[in-house]
Amino acid sequence: TDILLVLQVRLIMKAHSFIRENVPRVLSSVKDKSGTVHLPRISQYLYFLFAPTLIYRDNYPRNPTIRWGYVATKFAQVLGSLFYAYYIFVRLCIPLFRNSSQETFNLRGLVLCIFNSILPGVLILFLVFFAFLHCWLNAFAEMLRFADRMFYK
């Protein structure tokens, strides 16, 4: 359910950007009574839905070719990040909580459990950000030939 919520928020943000960019165009052509309204094509909107950006433009800079070796490297990094996160869970998190579940509850045990899980939690947080925001989105940007990787600068 969390994944569906994240996808819905992303689609709402993209729809807002699309409407915000195109409504002024339509309103200005109606006010000028020019009769010609430049509306985006369906292919432009579909490309925007999958492109790693939240700002709608009719055209984005595109690379001439797809570097499949780069895509494979990024997906391998995602896979490696998942295995490393699994290793962190198995080695650092599961034994800690397995032992704490067998003991009676006390404040000292809770504080020790929290402090012992800070480092693995931060490592997993960094891995998630690296795997998704860097590797996953760059792989899809390359497959869509999205050239402007520094778009938000």
Side-chain angles (χ1 to χ4, degrees):
T1 59
D2 292 336
I3 294 173
L4 291 176
L5 182 65
V6 168
L7 290 175
Q8 288 174 344
V9 169
R10 181 182 68 89
L11 287 175
I12 288 170
M13 291 168 63
K14 285 191 176 247
H16 173 75
S17 176
F18 180 77
I19 291 169
R20 185 177 175 156
E21 289 293 322
N22 288 303
V23 165
R25 253 193 259 177
V26 172
L27 292 178
S28 67
S29 67
V30 168
K31 186 169 49 172
D32 296 340
K33 297 181 183 177
S34 61
T36 59
V37 179
H38 177 69
L39 295 175
R41 296 185 312 270
I42 296 293
S43 62
Q44 291 172 324
Y45 182 68
L46 286 176
Y47 181 82
F48 168 65
L49 285 181
F50 291 101
T53 181
L54 292 174
I55 300 172
Y56 177 78
R57 300 286 181 259
D58 286 335
N59 296 309
Y60 296 97
R62 308 272 307 260
N63 288 330
T65 60
I66 298 172
R67 299 176 294 170
W68 290 107
Y70 181 80
V71 173
T73 301
K74 292 301 171 192
F75 281 134
Q77 288 175 348
V78 169
L79 193 62
S81 297
L82 289 175
F83 280 123
Y84 189 49
Y86 173 75
Y87 178 79
I88 290 171
F89 267 116
V90 168
R91 289 303 217 182
L92 300 175
C93 295
I94 292 175
L96 177 70
F97 290 106
R98 183 178 297 137
N99 293 339
S100 66
S101 66
Q102 296 170 352
E103 299 172 2
T104 59
F105 177 77
N106 58 16
L107 186 61
R108 180 182 177 275
L110 177 66
V111 171
L112 283 175
C113 191
I114 289 172
F115 280 120
N116 287 334
S117 62
I118 287 175
L119 180 64
V122 169
L123 286 174
I124 289 172
L125 183 69
F126 284 150
L127 281 172
V128 167
F129 278 113
F130 172 74
F132 180 70
L133 294 176
H134 178 70
C135 300
W136 188 264
L137 291 180
N138 269 319
F140 275 94
E142 185 66 32
M143 288 189 293
L144 291 171
R145 298 186 303 137
F146 189 80
D148 194 2
R149 306 289 166 83
M150 303 303 257
F151 186 75
Y152 291 105
K153 277 193 170 183

